Amino acid sequence: MLLRDLVPVLGSDDAATTVPLRRERGPRLGAYVVLGLAGIVLGLAASRVELVVLGAPFLVLAVLATASAADPELRIRVLPPIGRLVEGDRLAVVVELVASRPVVVEVAARVRGPVRFDDPEGPVAVARRVGPEPVRWTIAPRTRHWGEVWVDRVELRVDGPGGLVRWTGGAVLRRRVEVLPAAPRGRGALRATQPRSVAGSHLTRLRGDGSDFAELRPHQPGDPLHAVNWKATARRGRLMANQRHSERAGDVVLVIDTTVDGGAYPPSGLLEAGRVAWALAEVHLARQDRVGAVLFGSGLRWLPPRGGTRGREHLLQELFAVASLTLTHPSLIGFLPPHAIPAGATVVAITTLEDDVFATALASLRRRGLDVAVVVIDRTPLLAPHLAPVPPEAVRLWRLEVEQRRRRLAAQGLRTATVPAGASPDAAVLALTGSVRTTPVTP
């Protein structure tokens, strides 16, 4: 029988459930048995009755505790955490216990993922006395960065009298919590290279319904009444109508650098790239664009452009998949397949540009005729504590290599912009386009 078969599985309902407890020896049971046997053996060997009298009570207590201790009955009710958080939020697991008789219970939660516990004891909660009245624990670690967090199970430990016997049990949760990137809210959007025939927010040369003025012309049959320019009509003595640029939606593909630098996974560059990508994706999805993703560097995954709520969810799951997996070596993959990026899409690469393979792949996209914009993330502020013992010449050489790659891409016709880690995505849009659209975005 497997261990998971011995504990209840808590689903969406949070009804109280009886916890099967397993009896184990307590931390003091071994010491009591050793002292009792030692006293009896030494007393018999030395013919000293006082040694036998001194050791016998320890042995009697050990036998009585293991034979007569009644198993407590615990009922557990777990309020699972919210299924979606933002990095930096606390993930709260609330445990409520009721016991058939007063016992001291210690509660712990097994949590996997990017979390940290403020309590030095980690995921273990303070032991409390539990009786017929409900007693609650709250275990609330703080999320460190975006990704997936799994709350696997809640474990219980009940210590018997004198610490001679112990009962352990638990409840399986298997609750997945999504931690979203906490990127600054952006308002700027890149212009679409080839807008689709779907209403959106990108200006085109076509005339139609829109908000930006195109030209003034004589009124024609079929023009709506709101298009009439009454001031121009009064000046010219005939009906004049305003023409506006139609606004269409476009395809945006975010190429995210997932190169692993050999340190902790996921690396800081990938985490920052994910924040910028998520901020840009939300801006373009709010403007009715379709957004896709290519996760390239230490592995290769891609998501075709999609729009709406479904596109948002698919992109989020792709980011979570990369943040939780260690991928292959970057030298194994040196190109992007043509079908990963549709023709006419605006490509936005988000990278630290610390790898030549990724820079070569971006240059190949430009040679295909795609409009490629590169957001280079300067993660020097993130690495400042680790760069303190490094000679300044080595740090300067490293930054010069990154800058040389950026200039080489710019010379090949790619739009490039360098932004510090943690900056608003508007800074990248401003550097890439020279202007930021400030059309209000509906949340």
Side-chain angles (χ1 to χ4, degrees), residues 328-400:
T328 56
H329 193 272
S331 61
L332 299 180
I333 300 173
F335 68 95
L336 289 172
H339 56 275
I341 300 177
T346 299
V347 180
V348 183
I350 306 168
T351 173
T352 57
L353 214 57
E354 297 173 7
D355 184 73
D356 286 323
V357 176
F358 191 82
T360 303
L362 294 182
S364 68
L365 292 180
R366 181 57 183 165
R367 287 193 294 270
R368 295 183 199 173
L370 294 172
D371 179 24
V372 183
V374 184
V375 179
V376 182
I377 299 174
D378 180 13
R379 61 174 185 152
T380 305
L382 301 177
L383 299 178
H386 306 283
L387 296 177
V390 180
E393 295 78 8
V395 177
R396 192 178 304 113
L397 180 60
W398 166 62
R399 299 189 66 177
L400 285 175

Coordinates of all heavy atoms in Angstrom, one line a residue, residues 328-400:
T328 N 17.6 22.2 -22.6 CA 18.8 21.7 -23.1 C 19.8 22.8 -23.3 O 19.6 24.0 -23.0 CB 18.6 21.0 -24.4 OG1 17.9 21.9 -25.3 CG2 17.7 19.8 -24.2
H329 N 21.0 22.4 -23.7 CA 22.1 23.4 -23.9 C 21.8 24.3 -25.1 O 21.3 23.8 -26.1 CB 23.4 22.6 -24.1 CG 24.6 23.5 -23.9 ND1 25.2 24.2 -25.0 CD2 25.4 23.9 -22.9 CE1 26.2 24.9 -24.6 NE2 26.4 24.7 -23.3
P330 N 22.2 25.6 -25.0 CA 21.8 26.5 -26.2 C 22.5 26.1 -27.5 O 22.0 26.4 -28.5 CB 22.2 27.8 -25.6 CG 23.2 27.6 -24.5 CD 22.7 26.3 -23.9
S331 N 23.7 25.5 -27.4 CA 24.4 25.2 -28.7 C 23.6 24.1 -29.5 O 24.0 24.0 -30.7 CB 25.8 24.7 -28.4 OG 25.7 23.5 -27.6
L332 N 22.7 23.4 -28.9 CA 22.0 22.4 -29.7 C 20.9 23.0 -30.6 O 20.5 22.3 -31.6 CB 21.3 21.4 -28.7 CG 22.2 20.7 -27.7 CD1 21.3 19.8 -26.8 CD2 23.2 19.8 -28.5
I333 N 20.5 24.2 -30.4 CA 19.5 24.8 -31.3 C 20.0 26.2 -31.7 O 20.3 27.0 -30.9 CB 18.2 25.0 -30.5 CG1 17.7 23.6 -30.0 CG2 17.1 25.7 -31.3 CD1 16.5 23.7 -29.1
G334 N 20.1 26.3 -33.0 CA 20.7 27.6 -33.5 C 19.8 28.3 -34.5 O 20.3 29.2 -35.2
F335 N 18.6 27.9 -34.7 CA 17.7 28.5 -35.7 C 16.3 28.4 -35.2 O 15.9 27.6 -34.4 CB 17.9 27.9 -37.1 CG 17.3 26.5 -37.2 CD1 16.0 26.2 -37.6 CD2 18.1 25.4 -36.8 CE1 15.6 24.9 -37.6 CE2 17.6 24.1 -36.8 CZ 16.3 23.9 -37.3
L336 N 15.4 29.2 -35.8 CA 14.0 29.2 -35.5 C 13.3 28.7 -36.8 O 13.5 29.1 -37.9 CB 13.5 30.6 -35.2 CG 13.9 31.2 -33.8 CD1 13.4 32.6 -33.8 CD2 13.3 30.4 -32.7
P337 N 12.4 27.7 -36.6 CA 11.7 27.1 -37.8 C 10.8 28.2 -38.4 O 10.2 29.0 -37.7 CB 10.9 26.0 -37.2 CG 10.8 26.2 -35.7 CD 12.0 27.0 -35.4
P338 N 10.6 28.2 -39.7 CA 9.8 29.3 -40.4 C 8.4 29.3 -39.9 O 7.8 30.4 -39.8 CB 9.9 28.9 -41.9 CG 11.2 28.1 -42.0 CD 11.3 27.3 -40.7
H339 N 7.8 28.2 -39.6 CA 6.4 28.2 -39.3 C 6.1 28.6 -37.8 O 5.0 28.7 -37.4 CB 5.8 26.7 -39.5 CG 6.5 25.7 -38.7 ND1 7.7 25.1 -39.2 CD2 6.3 25.1 -37.5 CE1 8.1 24.2 -38.3 NE2 7.3 24.2 -37.3
A340 N 7.2 28.9 -37.0 CA 7.0 29.3 -35.7 C 6.5 30.8 -35.6 O 5.8 31.2 -34.7 CB 8.3 29.2 -34.9
I341 N 6.8 31.6 -36.7 CA 6.4 33.0 -36.7 C 5.7 33.2 -38.0 O 6.3 33.0 -39.1 CB 7.6 33.9 -36.6 CG1 8.4 33.6 -35.3 CG2 7.2 35.4 -36.7 CD1 9.7 34.4 -35.1
P342 N 4.4 33.6 -38.0 CA 3.7 33.9 -39.2 C 4.2 35.1 -40.0 O 4.8 36.0 -39.4 CB 2.2 34.1 -38.7 CG 2.4 34.5 -37.3 CD 3.6 33.9 -36.8
A343 N 4.0 35.1 -41.3 CA 4.4 36.2 -42.1 C 3.6 37.5 -41.7 O 2.4 37.4 -41.5 CB 4.2 35.9 -43.6
G344 N 4.3 38.6 -41.7 CA 3.6 39.9 -41.4 C 3.5 40.2 -40.0 O 3.0 41.2 -39.6
A345 N 4.0 39.3 -39.1 CA 3.9 39.5 -37.7 C 5.0 40.5 -37.2 O 6.1 40.5 -37.8 CB 4.0 38.2 -36.9
T346 N 4.7 41.3 -36.2 CA 5.8 42.1 -35.6 C 6.5 41.3 -34.5 O 5.8 40.7 -33.6 CB 5.1 43.3 -34.9 OG1 4.5 44.1 -35.9 CG2 6.2 44.2 -34.2
V347 N 7.8 41.1 -34.6 CA 8.5 40.3 -33.7 C 9.2 41.2 -32.7 O 9.9 42.1 -33.0 CB 9.6 39.5 -34.5 CG1 10.4 38.6 -33.5 CG2 8.9 38.6 -35.5
V348 N 9.0 40.9 -31.4 CA 9.6 41.6 -30.3 C 10.5 40.6 -29.5 O 9.9 39.7 -28.9 CB 8.6 42.3 -29.4 CG1 9.3 43.0 -28.3 CG2 7.7 43.1 -30.2
A349 N 11.8 40.7 -29.6 CA 12.7 39.8 -28.9 C 13.0 40.4 -27.5 O 13.4 41.6 -27.5 CB 13.9 39.5 -29.7
I350 N 13.0 39.6 -26.5 CA 13.3 40.1 -25.1 C 14.4 39.3 -24.6 O 14.3 38.0 -24.4 CB 12.0 40.0 -24.2 CG1 10.9 40.8 -24.9 CG2 12.3 40.6 -22.8 CD1 9.6 40.5 -24.2
T351 N 15.6 39.9 -24.4 CA 16.8 39.1 -24.1 C 17.7 39.9 -23.3 O 17.7 41.2 -23.2 CB 17.4 38.7 -25.4 OG1 18.7 38.0 -25.1 CG2 17.7 39.9 -26.3
T352 N 18.7 39.2 -22.6 CA 19.8 39.9 -22.0 C 21.0 40.0 -23.0 O 22.0 40.6 -22.7 CB 20.3 39.1 -20.8 OG1 20.6 37.8 -21.1 CG2 19.2 39.1 -19.7
L353 N 20.9 39.3 -24.1 CA 21.8 39.3 -25.2 C 23.2 38.9 -24.7 O 24.2 39.5 -25.1 CB 21.9 40.7 -25.9 CG 22.2 40.8 -27.4 CD1 21.1 39.9 -28.1 CD2 22.2 42.2 -27.9
E354 N 23.3 37.9 -23.9 CA 24.5 37.4 -23.4 C 25.0 36.1 -24.1 O 25.9 35.5 -23.6 CB 24.4 37.1 -21.9 CG 24.1 38.4 -21.1 CD 23.8 38.1 -19.6 OE1 23.9 37.0 -19.2 OE2 23.4 39.1 -18.9
D355 N 24.3 35.8 -25.2 CA 24.6 34.5 -25.9 C 24.6 34.8 -27.4 O 23.7 35.4 -27.9 CB 23.6 33.4 -25.6 CG 24.0 32.1 -26.2 OD1 24.9 31.5 -25.7 OD2 23.3 31.7 -27.2
D356 N 25.7 34.3 -28.1 CA 25.8 34.6 -29.5 C 24.8 33.8 -30.3 O 24.4 34.2 -31.4 CB 27.2 34.2 -30.0 CG 28.3 35.2 -29.5 OD1 27.9 36.4 -29.5 OD2 29.4 34.8 -29.2
V357 N 24.3 32.6 -29.8 CA 23.4 31.8 -30.6 C 22.1 32.6 -30.7 O 21.4 32.6 -31.8 CB 23.2 30.5 -29.9 CG1 22.1 29.6 -30.6 CG2 24.5 29.7 -29.8
F358 N 21.6 33.2 -29.7 CA 20.3 33.9 -29.7 C 20.4 35.1 -30.7 O 19.5 35.4 -31.4 CB 19.9 34.4 -28.3 CG 18.5 34.9 -28.2 CD1 17.4 34.1 -28.1 CD2 18.3 36.3 -28.3 CE1 16.2 34.6 -28.0 CE2 17.0 36.8 -28.2 CZ 15.9 35.9 -28.1
A359 N 21.6 35.8 -30.6 CA 21.8 37.0 -31.5 C 21.8 36.5 -33.0 O 21.2 37.2 -33.9 CB 23.1 37.7 -31.2
T360 N 22.4 35.4 -33.3 CA 22.4 34.9 -34.6 C 21.0 34.5 -35.1 O 20.7 34.7 -36.3 CB 23.3 33.6 -34.7 OG1 24.6 34.0 -34.2 CG2 23.4 33.1 -36.1
A361 N 20.2 33.9 -34.2 CA 18.8 33.6 -34.6 C 18.0 34.8 -34.9 O 17.2 34.8 -35.9 CB 18.2 32.8 -33.5
L362 N 18.2 35.9 -34.2 CA 17.5 37.2 -34.5 C 17.9 37.7 -35.8 O 17.1 38.2 -36.6 CB 17.8 38.2 -33.3 CG 17.2 37.8 -31.9 CD1 17.5 38.9 -31.0 CD2 15.7 37.5 -32.0
A363 N 19.2 37.7 -36.1 CA 19.6 38.2 -37.4 C 19.0 37.4 -38.5 O 18.7 37.9 -39.6 CB 21.2 38.1 -37.5
S364 N 18.8 36.0 -38.3 CA 18.2 35.2 -39.4 C 16.8 35.6 -39.6 O 16.2 35.5 -40.7 CB 18.3 33.7 -39.0 OG 17.5 33.4 -37.9
L365 N 16.1 36.0 -38.5 CA 14.7 36.5 -38.7 C 14.6 37.7 -39.6 O 13.7 37.9 -40.4 CB 14.1 36.7 -37.3 CG 13.8 35.5 -36.4 CD1 13.2 36.0 -35.1 CD2 12.9 34.5 -37.1
R366 N 15.6 38.6 -39.4 CA 15.6 39.9 -40.1 C 15.8 39.5 -41.6 O 15.3 40.2 -42.5 CB 16.6 40.8 -39.6 CG 16.7 42.1 -40.3 CD 15.4 42.8 -40.4 NE 15.4 44.1 -41.1 CZ 14.4 44.7 -41.5 NH1 13.2 44.3 -41.2 NH2 14.5 45.9 -42.2
R367 N 16.7 38.6 -41.9 CA 17.0 38.2 -43.3 C 15.8 37.6 -44.0 O 15.7 37.6 -45.2 CB 18.2 37.2 -43.3 CG 19.5 37.9 -43.0 CD 20.7 37.0 -43.4 NE 20.7 35.8 -42.5 CZ 21.4 35.7 -41.4 NH1 22.1 36.8 -41.0 NH2 21.4 34.6 -40.7
R368 N 14.8 37.1 -43.2 CA 13.6 36.6 -43.8 C 12.6 37.7 -44.2 O 11.5 37.4 -44.7 CB 12.8 35.7 -42.8 CG 13.6 34.4 -42.5 CD 12.7 33.5 -41.6 NE 13.5 32.5 -40.8 CZ 13.0 31.8 -39.9 NH1 11.7 31.9 -39.5 NH2 13.8 30.9 -39.3
G369 N 12.9 38.9 -43.8 CA 12.1 40.1 -44.1 C 11.1 40.4 -43.0 O 10.2 41.3 -43.2
L370 N 11.3 39.9 -41.8 CA 10.4 40.2 -40.7 C 10.9 41.5 -40.0 O 12.0 41.8 -40.0 CB 10.4 39.0 -39.7 CG 9.8 37.7 -40.1 CD1 10.0 36.6 -39.1 CD2 8.3 37.9 -40.4
D371 N 9.9 42.2 -39.5 CA 10.2 43.4 -38.7 C 10.5 42.9 -37.2 O 9.6 42.4 -36.5 CB 9.0 44.3 -38.7 CG 9.2 45.6 -37.9 OD1 10.4 45.9 -37.7 OD2 8.2 46.2 -37.4
V372 N 11.8 43.1 -36.8 CA 12.2 42.6 -35.6 C 12.7 43.7 -34.7 O 13.5 44.6 -35.1 CB 13.4 41.6 -35.7 CG1 13.8 41.0 -34.4 CG2 13.0 40.5 -36.7
A373 N 12.1 43.8 -33.5 CA 12.5 44.8 -32.5 C 13.1 44.0 -31.3 O 12.6 42.9 -30.9 CB 11.4 45.6 -32.0
V374 N 14.2 44.5 -30.7 CA 15.0 43.7 -29.7 C 15.0 44.6 -28.4 O 15.5 45.8 -28.5 CB 16.4 43.4 -30.1 CG1 17.1 42.6 -29.1 CG2 16.4 42.7 -31.5
V375 N 14.4 44.1 -27.4 CA 14.5 44.7 -26.0 C 15.6 44.0 -25.3 O 15.5 42.9 -24.9 CB 13.2 44.6 -25.3 CG1 13.3 45.3 -23.9 CG2 12.1 45.2 -26.1
V376 N 16.7 44.8 -25.0 CA 17.9 44.2 -24.3 C 17.7 44.6 -22.8 O 17.7 45.8 -22.5 CB 19.2 44.7 -24.9 CG1 20.4 44.1 -24.2 CG2 19.3 44.4 -26.4
I377 N 17.7 43.6 -22.0 CA 17.5 43.9 -20.6 C 18.9 44.0 -19.9 O 19.7 43.0 -20.0 CB 16.7 42.8 -19.9 CG1 15.3 42.8 -20.5 CG2 16.6 43.0 -18.4 CD1 14.4 41.6 -20.0
D378 N 19.2 45.1 -19.3 CA 20.4 45.3 -18.6 C 20.2 44.8 -17.1 O 19.5 45.4 -16.3 CB 20.8 46.7 -18.6 CG 22.1 47.0 -17.8 OD1 22.8 46.0 -17.5 OD2 22.5 48.1 -17.6
R379 N 20.7 43.6 -16.8 CA 20.5 43.1 -15.5 C 21.7 43.4 -14.5 O 21.8 42.7 -13.5 CB 20.3 41.6 -15.6 CG 21.4 40.7 -16.1 CD 21.0 39.2 -16.0 NE 22.1 38.4 -16.4 CZ 22.2 37.1 -16.0 NH1 21.4 36.7 -15.0 NH2 23.2 36.4 -16.4
T380 N 22.5 44.4 -14.8 CA 23.5 44.8 -13.9 C 23.0 45.1 -12.5 O 23.6 44.7 -11.5 CB 24.3 46.0 -14.5 OG1 24.8 45.6 -15.8 CG2 25.5 46.3 -13.6
P381 N 21.8 45.8 -12.4 CA 21.3 46.1 -11.0 C 21.0 44.8 -10.3 O 21.1 44.8 -9.1 CB 20.1 46.9 -11.3 CG 20.3 47.6 -12.6 CD 21.0 46.5 -13.4
L382 N 20.5 43.8 -11.0 CA 20.2 42.5 -10.3 C 21.4 41.8 -9.8 O 21.4 41.1 -8.8 CB 19.4 41.6 -11.2 CG 18.0 42.2 -11.8 CD1 17.4 41.2 -12.7 CD2 17.1 42.5 -10.6
L383 N 22.5 41.9 -10.6 CA 23.7 41.2 -10.3 C 24.7 42.0 -9.4 O 25.8 41.5 -9.2 CB 24.4 40.7 -11.6 CG 23.6 39.8 -12.5 CD1 24.4 39.6 -13.8 CD2 23.3 38.5 -11.8
A384 N 24.4 43.2 -9.1 CA 25.3 44.0 -8.3 C 25.9 43.4 -7.1 O 27.1 43.4 -6.8 CB 24.6 45.4 -8.0
P385 N 25.0 42.7 -6.2 CA 25.6 42.0 -5.0 C 26.6 40.9 -5.4 O 27.6 40.7 -4.7 CB 24.4 41.5 -4.3 CG 23.2 42.3 -4.8 CD 23.5 42.6 -6.2
H386 N 26.4 40.3 -6.5 CA 27.3 39.2 -6.9 C 28.5 39.7 -7.7 O 29.5 38.9 -7.7 CB 26.5 38.2 -7.8 CG 25.2 37.7 -7.2 ND1 25.2 36.7 -6.2 CD2 23.9 38.0 -7.4 CE1 23.9 36.5 -5.9 NE2 23.2 37.3 -6.6
L387 N 28.5 40.9 -8.2 CA 29.6 41.4 -8.9 C 30.6 42.1 -8.1 O 31.6 42.6 -8.6 CB 29.1 42.3 -10.1 CG 28.2 41.7 -11.2 CD1 27.8 42.8 -12.1 CD2 29.0 40.6 -11.9
A388 N 30.3 42.3 -6.8 CA 31.2 43.0 -5.9 C 32.6 42.4 -5.9 O 33.6 43.2 -6.0 CB 30.6 43.1 -4.5
P389 N 32.8 41.1 -5.7 CA 34.1 40.6 -5.7 C 34.8 40.4 -7.1 O 36.0 40.1 -7.2 CB 34.0 39.2 -5.1 CG 32.6 38.8 -5.4 CD 31.8 40.0 -5.5
V390 N 34.1 40.7 -8.2 CA 34.6 40.6 -9.5 C 35.4 41.8 -9.9 O 35.0 42.9 -9.6 CB 33.5 40.3 -10.5 CG1 34.0 40.2 -11.9 CG2 32.7 39.1 -10.1
P391 N 36.5 41.7 -10.5 CA 37.3 42.8 -10.9 C 36.5 43.7 -11.8 O 35.8 43.3 -12.7 CB 38.5 42.2 -11.6 CG 38.7 40.9 -11.1 CD 37.3 40.4 -10.8
P392 N 36.6 45.1 -11.7 CA 35.8 46.0 -12.5 C 36.1 45.8 -14.0 O 35.3 46.0 -14.9 CB 36.3 47.4 -12.0 CG 36.8 47.1 -10.6 CD 37.4 45.8 -10.7
E393 N 37.4 45.4 -14.3 CA 37.7 45.2 -15.8 C 36.9 44.1 -16.4 O 36.5 44.2 -17.5 CB 39.2 44.9 -15.9 CG 40.1 46.1 -15.5 CD 40.3 46.2 -14.0 OE1 39.8 45.3 -13.3 OE2 40.9 47.2 -13.5
A394 N 36.7 43.0 -15.6 CA 35.9 41.9 -16.1 C 34.5 42.3 -16.3 O 33.8 41.9 -17.3 CB 36.0 40.7 -15.1
V395 N 33.9 43.0 -15.4 CA 32.5 43.5 -15.6 C 32.4 44.4 -16.8 O 31.4 44.3 -17.6 CB 32.1 44.2 -14.3 CG1 30.6 44.8 -14.5 CG2 32.1 43.3 -13.1
R396 N 33.4 45.3 -17.0 CA 33.3 46.2 -18.1 C 33.4 45.4 -19.4 O 32.7 45.7 -20.4 CB 34.5 47.2 -18.0 CG 34.3 48.4 -19.0 CD 35.5 49.4 -18.8 NE 35.5 49.9 -17.4 CZ 36.5 49.6 -16.6 NH1 37.5 48.9 -17.0 NH2 36.5 50.1 -15.3
L397 N 34.3 44.4 -19.4 CA 34.4 43.6 -20.6 C 33.1 42.8 -21.0 O 32.7 42.8 -22.1 CB 35.6 42.6 -20.5 CG 35.9 41.6 -21.6 CD1 36.2 42.5 -22.9 CD2 37.0 40.7 -21.3
W398 N 32.5 42.3 -19.9 CA 31.2 41.6 -20.1 C 30.1 42.6 -20.7 O 29.4 42.2 -21.6 CB 30.8 41.0 -18.8 CG 29.3 40.6 -18.7 CD1 28.8 39.6 -19.5 CD2 28.3 41.1 -17.9 NE1 27.4 39.5 -19.2 CE2 27.1 40.4 -18.2 CE3 28.2 42.1 -17.0 CZ2 25.9 40.7 -17.6 CZ3 27.0 42.4 -16.3 CH2 25.9 41.7 -16.6
R399 N 30.1 43.8 -20.2 CA 29.1 44.7 -20.7 C 29.4 45.2 -22.1 O 28.5 45.4 -22.9 CB 29.0 45.9 -19.8 CG 28.5 45.5 -18.4 CD 28.3 46.8 -17.5 NE 27.1 47.5 -18.0 CZ 26.6 48.6 -17.4 NH1 27.1 49.0 -16.3 NH2 25.6 49.2 -18.0
L400 N 30.7 45.3 -22.4 CA 31.1 45.6 -23.8 C 30.7 44.6 -24.8 O 30.3 44.9 -25.9 CB 32.6 45.9 -23.8 CG 33.1 47.2 -23.2 CD1 34.6 47.3 -23.2 CD2 32.4 48.4 -24.0

